[in-house]
Amino acid sequence: SQQGEEDPQALSIQEGENATMNCSYKTSINNLQWYRQNSGRGLVHLILIRSNEREKHSGRLRVTLDTSKKSSSLLITASRAADTASYFCATDAGNDMRFGAGTRLTVKP
Amino acid sequence: GAVVSQHPSRVICKSGTSVKIECRSLDFQATTMFWYRQFPKKSLMLMATSNEGSKATYEQGVEKDKFLINHASLTLSTLTVTSAHPEDSSFYICSANVGAEAFFGQGTRLTVV
């Protein structure tokens, strides 16, 4: 089911620039996950951050979590054309997972 | 917006029985649907891509005879867990896209006892 909001809904940048996507949610969570979806393909897990963590890195990805504001951000540094995809956050509250509407990222070469 | 309905939301079954989970696109047609599985406190794992009118595409390591997928119409895909065992207990969720937008079912929590 969908919950929370992601912004922006769409983001277009030049290769080499950084891309920041935000996700807000409403309930208490165990963890928050970011996924990527290329056109016509299933979700690919990018990174999971637990509720007691504030920041996590994986390669060019940096995720922050602010549980007091119920928000998270995904930063992709030095973007590449291959990063063009939709990005979704998902919150895990224990009983189920809920997804944001996603941000469509376009990286222009 | 588009709605994906997944049923049932929870099911408890005995070991050795089969369970069918339905995923319906209520107001759009979906030639492709995705099935995921989530273990507790873990990320979603893509199990298979369901293709209307043709065989599903399974991810490596997913047993196609164990997890039967049928996508007989443009609005319905089903996942049948055959001869379920306790290790099949998990959260299963489906999704479908309208363009770049993904819509998710409510998920099914399967418990095999």
Side-chain angles (χ1 to χ4, degrees):
Chain A
S1 57
Q2 307 281 135
Q3 85 139 1
E5 300 171 1
E6 286 174 72
D7 69 271
Q9 289 186 330
L11 180 61
S12 181
I13 59 175
Q14 293 294 134
E15 212 167 22
E17 294 180 338
N18 295 341
T20 300
M21 291 162 269
N22 302 298
C23 169
S24 62
Y25 57 93
K26 297 175 182 175
T27 62
S28 296
I29 60 172
N30 293 331
N31 63 67
L32 185 144
Q33 303 164 26
W34 283 91
Y35 291 86
R36 165 194 170 128
Q37 185 183 35
N38 286 79
S39 178
R41 308 295 294 275
L43 294 177
V44 172
H45 176 248
L46 295 177
I47 201 163
L48 181 154
I49 186 165
R50 302 191 188 286
S51 60
N52 61 351
E53 296 176 309
R54 291 297 165 257
E55 188 170 311
K56 206 161 183 181
H57 297 256
S58 177
R60 293 184 295 113
L61 306 180
R62 173 176 167 255
V63 167
T64 63
L65 179 64
D66 187 335
T67 52
S68 65
K69 295 181 180 178
K70 290 188 169 55
S71 68
S72 173
S73 68
L74 169 67
L75 169 67
I76 303 175
T77 60
S79 65
R80 305 167 182 167
D83 294 329
T84 294
S86 292
Y87 293 82
F88 297 86
C89 68
T91 54
D92 184 347
N95 290 325
D96 60 10
M97 290 189 75
R98 300 194 173 190
F99 293 84
T103 295
R104 175 69 185 164
L105 174 66
T106 302
V107 181
K108 300 175 184 176
Chain B
V3 175
V4 172
S5 177
Q6 185 173 342
H7 177 81
S9 58
R10 294 179 184 275
V11 58
I12 300 172
C13 70
K14 290 185 177 181
S15 191
T17 61
S18 296
V19 174
K20 179 184 284 188
I21 303 170
E22 294 187 347
C23 183
R24 292 180 185 273
S25 57
L26 295 188
D27 48 3
F28 67 101
Q29 294 182 331
T31 54
T32 301
M33 290 186 178
F34 302 99
W35 286 96
Y36 302 90
R37 177 177 182 175
Q38 187 210 16
F39 293 98
K41 299 183 180 181
K42 300 290 185 183
S43 63
L44 288 181
M45 180 190 77
L46 177 65
M47 299 175 67
T49 301
S50 172
N51 304 299
E52 187 269 335
S54 65
K55 291 182 180 179
T57 305
Y58 289 81
E59 296 299 302
Q60 191 173 8
V62 178
E63 298 176 63
K64 56 184 69 176
D65 294 331
K66 172 78 172 172
F67 299 99
L68 297 178
I69 290 173
N70 184 279
H71 196 151
S73 79
L74 287 169
T75 59
L76 174 65
S77 174
T78 61
L79 168 67
T80 301
V81 183
T82 63
S83 187
H85 291 284
E87 57 265 31
D88 299 323
S89 298
S90 196
F91 184 74
Y92 295 86
I93 194 165
C94 65
S95 76
N97 278 67
V98 178
E101 252 187 301
F103 296 90
F104 299 88
Q106 299 91 329
T108 298
R109 185 159 299 282
L110 170 64
T111 303
V112 185
V113 298

